[in-house]
Amino acid sequence: MYRINRKTKLYQDMYSMWIEAPEIAKTVQPGQFIILMTREEGERVPLTVADYDRDRGLIHIVFQVVGKTTDELACFKEGDYLYSFTGPLGRKSEIEYFGTTVVVGGGTGIACIHPIARNLKAVGNKVIAIIGARSKELVIMEKELRLVSDELIVTTDDGSYGRKGFVTEALKEKLDSDTAIKKVWTIGPPIMMKVTTELTKSYPVDTIVSLNTIMVDGTGMCGSCRVSIGGETKFVCTDGPEFDGQLVDWDEFMHRIYRYKEEENKSWQSFKEKKGCRCKEN
Amino acid sequence: MAEMIEMKERMKREPVPMREQLPSERIHNFKEVPLGYTREEAIYEAQRCLQCKNPTCMKGCPAEINIPTFIRYIVEEDFKKAYLTILKTDALPAVTGRVCPQEEQCQKECVLNKRGKPIAIGRLERFIADWARENGVHGIKDSVNKKQTKVAIVGSGPAGLACAADLAKMGYQVTLFEALHKPGGVLVYGIPEFRLPKTIVEYEVGQIEQTGVKVICDQVIGATRSIEDLKNEFDAIFLCNGAGAPRFMDIPGENMNDVYSANEFLTRSNLMKAYLFPEYDTPIKIRKRAATIGAGNVAMDSARTALRLGAEKSYIVYRRSRAEVPARAEEVHHAEEEGIIFHFLTLPVRILGDNEGRVTGMECIKMELGEPDESGRRSPIPIENSNFILEVDMIIDAIGTMANPIVARSARGVEVNKWGYFKVDERTRMTTCEGIFAGGDIVRGSATVISAVGDGKKAARFIDAYLSSGKSLKKQ
Ligand SMILES: Cc1cc2nc3c(=O)[nH]c(=O)nc-3n(C[C@H](O)[C@H](O)[C@H](O)COP(=O)(O)OP(=O)(O)OC[C@H]3O[C@@H](n4cnc5c(N)ncnc54)[C@H](O)[C@@H]3O)c2cc1C
Ligand SMILES: Cc1cc2nc3c(=O)[nH]c(=O)nc-3n(C[C@H](O)[C@H](O)[C@H](O)COP(=O)(O)OP(=O)(O)OC[C@H]3O[C@@H](n4cnc5c(N)ncnc54)[C@H](O)[C@@H]3O)c2cc1C
Ligand code: SF4
Ligand code: SF4
Ligand code: FES
């Protein structure tokens, strides 16, 4: 059992939790993820490690309520216990000195790029961070990212904060004006990663994406997470989750992540009907 | 007490069949198919045993069960003694009694097999294990002479459980590390409920825990802890993490939405209990016509599971002929009774789909059998221009597994062969690193529950020998 040490609501439907998992905190690296279960009857859900505190043995996760499990997780309080919490899974981000780098984050992906930015910076890279959200209240971790980047650009779809528009527009300008950029990390909703990859294709940069396929075990046992990378089948949980975005078969990936849409809706619907509590207010 | 019967009568008596759920009923539920012997049936069958002076049956049992003795106790109606006799060497009798391929093991060696009427040893074993569980009869708890020496076991499948049980009996402090959230390995995630009810596995694992074995789940060795970490803390290590990585056919269309590996399909259904969705949260997608590729036990389990989950048609597609089918005869028979349709000498070459990434059919080619290959089986050869489309909308790849490299990558000094399986000394089960032993599927490739149990037991014996000679990983 794994205790929830701290819980914060970042904004409506997005939460941050620090979980007591000292063994994982000891060895985890940026780019890796964990798999958790709320209850014995629950699903195994993968979430990126958004940060960690090795001394206090804590793992930070940031999640968005998109279905039953994340909805239920949002109902958990500080001091509650999770049934299962496994990790660190997947390969770590390949962080070394590249020169100038850009990290692009959207949604919960903003939290995920934070440790990557910090580590890129620590080995001497110039780090430009671009984060995007629909509107002002949805911008998270701005302060933390500012601390670990040389430049931070915030974009909102409605222009209520930072620049108006999408992250890709800001990225395009950067790529056009700064030819020293060698490497781009982009983590966020699938469509954002896909579009970013399409944009960077015509620039001399490598683009790393973090794929959020549907998983079961997370250890290479089932193949649920498989994707085609450069025409070869790879397992996201053991070969990834980070891949060269230019090699990803995005159509196949998008089909596969929505393959249980009907069932997921059904499951969430019945959960909402039963829930009827105001647990998310705390 | 029941009577020993005359020799003549023993030879004359026919084996007692086991009652089963009717096929028409059982395809709509996940309840166990064979119903087990009643007390009377068990005694009647046990009376047939000749109580051989030189019981050849025992040679066929890697779990080293004293078969004539436990059968004699059944005749004497001393079921408790029968249970304790089995438990002395086999910590998982309700499991082995059900899924051990008895016809290839003990029953093959039984003298009565010459007349085609071997004693139903597995069924008797199952009867006793079920009786003990239902009547709350236990073996010996926590060993008395606790040693200070600690052994780590990586993986809680049958190999790990058997090894742990034996070492605990010898007084060692045993910790079992399991990557998933439940112990049992293939017994919980692979073999379906209708062949091996999960409450039974849980019970027998619980009994092993009672003997002092510590089970820690959610521990991916090679990720959560490394082998180096374990070396610092434990005196010896047994690696038995199973073969567990799925193999795919490598044909076009295999990453489409309705294509599962058997591992994924069965894990969703068994471990995650998707057959109880939405009571349990994990979904599984069933379409009208399912094709399972392969004809081993895993394929039979997948095809039969698909049927129970609501597929209207469930096919087995196999590139060789009926004679080469590797699954147990009993499983094939059950599958046929349930209406599984077999396509022999058929090889899938391409999966067809629509714009949404959903399967709409599978192109296959007909095969014929040529000369025997290295495995001794006649190898299938494609017949030119025999391509045809099998109308299916979901596919389950059950063509085998290969070594998962997570543990091996973290185990410095432990050599693997070209397929990624650990190399071990045939006799001692020691790997190329002193103090680290290995067994089960991660050494043999996909094998059987009973061979995994046998490996676990052998390893326990040589781990004891290693530690008793004063050696330890910590001293290296
Ligand atoms: C390596 C990895 C890292 C991830 N990191 C984060 C993160 O840091 N924060 C975050 O909010 N989300 C993250 N996700 C996605 C997260 O796992 C899903 O949002 C979650 O599983 C949804 O569960 P649910 O029951 O609430 O919703 P569901 O009802 O199960 O699904 C709703 C939506 O989520 C997608 N989804 C469903 N199951 C999964 C699954 N097992 N894996 C991925 N997507 C799924 C579906 O396509 C669907 O669109 C990550 C996924 C992966 C694979
Ligand atoms: C569907 C199916 C049906 C079968 N039917 C039969 C049958 O009827 N009769 C029969 O005799 N055999 C059958 N078999 C084969 C039999 O189940 C296996 O040969 C046997 O389970 C192997 O045992 P094992 O202990 O070596 O490994 P497994 O049972 O595979 O157990 C290995 C365990 O190690 C864990 N693990 C893996 N990696 C790690 C890690 N890095 N850290 C920690 N833990 C890890 C796994 O999660 C798993 O729990 C079947 C197999 C399948 C898949
Ligand atoms: S464990 Fe298997 S081989 Fe041994 S007696 Fe039981 S059924 Fe026979
Ligand atoms: S060989 Fe057969 S008949 Fe003889 S003791 Fe064993 S089970 Fe009984
Ligand atoms: S999640 Fe099962 S293999 Fe990746």
Side-chain angles (χ1 to χ4, degrees), chain B residues 168-216:
Chain B
K169 251 182 247 158
M170 298 173 199
Y172 291 101
Q173 296 186 38
V174 184
T175 308
L176 248 169
F177 295 99
E178 170 54 47
L180 293 167
H181 55 279
K182 280 207 174 137
V186 171
L187 308 179
V188 291
Y189 79 70
I191 305 179
E193 182 78 13
F194 57 82
R195 281 217 290 130
L196 182 62
K198 301 307 146 217
T199 47
I200 288 177
V201 181
E202 265 166 42
Y203 177 83
E204 293 202 329
V205 173
Q207 291 297 106
I208 294 171
E209 285 184 82
Q210 296 264 321
T211 66
V213 172
K214 198 154 122 200
V215 178
I216 312 185

Side-chain angles (χ1 to χ4, degrees), chain A residues 135-204:
Chain A
S135 62
K136 184 177 176 186
E137 351 34 286
L138 311 187
V139 176
I140 59 164
M141 300 196 68
E142 187 187 344
K143 249 197 337 238
E144 291 90 333
L145 269 164
R146 208 174 281 286
L147 283 174
V148 297
S149 54
D150 297 274
E151 187 182 347
L152 176 76
I153 303 166
V154 182
T155 70
T156 51
D157 299 1
D158 61 3
S160 55
Y161 186 66
R163 294 179 42 149
K164 180 172 158 66
F166 300 115
V167 284
T168 37
E169 291 159 22
L171 176 62
K172 183 170 188 326
E173 271 176 36
K174 272 287 148 202
L175 288 169
D176 286 335
S177 62
D178 190 344
T179 51
I181 297 171
K182 287 281 169 349
K183 197 120 183 163
V184 176
W185 256 266
T186 173
I187 307 182
I191 190 68
M192 183 199 105
M193 295 192 283
K194 181 182 177 195
V195 182
T196 312
T197 307
E198 276 163 9
L199 166 72
T200 56
K201 194 183 284 173
S202 43
Y203 294 87

Side-chain angles (χ1 to χ4, degrees), chain A residues 2 23 37 39-41 44 68 84 87-88 219 221-222 224 226 228 233 252 255-256 259-260 263, chain B residues 181-182 218-219 224-225 244 246 254-255 257 259-261 263-264 268 277 281 285 355-356 404:
Chain A
Y2 309 83
E23 267 155 11
M37 288 174 77
R39 287 164 294 119
E40 190 182 344
E41 301 80 18
R44 292 175 65 93
K68 175 169 175 179
S84 170
T219 65
M221 183 269 276
C222 75
S224 169
R226 66 194 189 277
S228 297
T233 294
E252 179 188 281
H255 285 148
R256 285 187 67 80
R259 72 195 140 118
Y260 292 113
E263 291 79 6
Chain B
H181 55 279
K182 280 207 174 137
D218 304 333
Q219 297 276 326
T224 316
R225 300 169 195 240
E254 222 169 1
N255 290 347
N257 280 1
V259 184
Y260 286 94
S261 75
N263 272 6
E264 179 186 352
R268 282 181 180 274
F277 180 86
D281 296 350
K285 198 114 197 164
N355 293 334
E356 320 269 87
N404 185 327

Side-chain angles (χ1 to χ4, degrees), chain B residues 342-353:
Chain B
F342 287 75
H343 289 277
F344 292 112
L345 293 166
T346 304
L347 180 76
V349 291
R350 188 162 62 107
I351 297 167
L352 312 168

Side-chain angles (χ1 to χ4, degrees), chain A residues 219 221, chain B residues 98-101 154-161 177-180 182-192 195 219-223 240-244 263 266 270 297-299 301-302 328 331 401 404 406-407 439-442 445-452:
Chain A
T219 65
M221 183 269 276
Chain B
R98 283 174 167 81
V99 299
C100 183
V154 179
S156 65
L161 291 168
F177 295 99
E178 170 54 47
L180 293 167
K182 280 207 174 137
V186 171
L187 308 179
V188 291
Y189 79 70
I191 305 179
R195 281 217 290 130
Q219 297 276 326
V220 184
I221 302 304
C240 47
N241 48 304
N263 272 6
L266 293 170
N270 298 316
N297 285 325
V298 183
D301 285 346
S302 303
R328 290 179 66 188
E331 300 311 323
T401 53
N404 185 327
I406 292 190
V407 174
D441 281 6
I442 193 60
S446 307
T448 59
V449 169
I450 194 64
S451 60

Side-chain angles (χ1 to χ4, degrees), chain B residues 387-437:
Chain B
N387 296 42
F388 69 103
I389 308 265
L390 189 64
E391 305 221 334
V392 295
D393 28 32
M394 75 176 282
I395 290 162
I396 305 161
D397 267 333
I399 54 166
T401 53
M402 49 195 186
N404 185 327
I406 292 190
V407 174
R409 256 194 241 130
S410 129
R412 244 189 298 138
V414 183
E415 285 175 28
V416 296
N417 65 17
K418 63 177 171 181
W419 298 284
Y421 298 119
F422 292 121
K423 288 186 192 166
V424 296
D425 180 300
E426 273 300 312
R427 195 176 61 93
T428 62
R429 300 296 191 271
M430 182 130 68
T431 64
T432 50
C433 177
E434 229 193 69
I436 300 186
F437 299 75

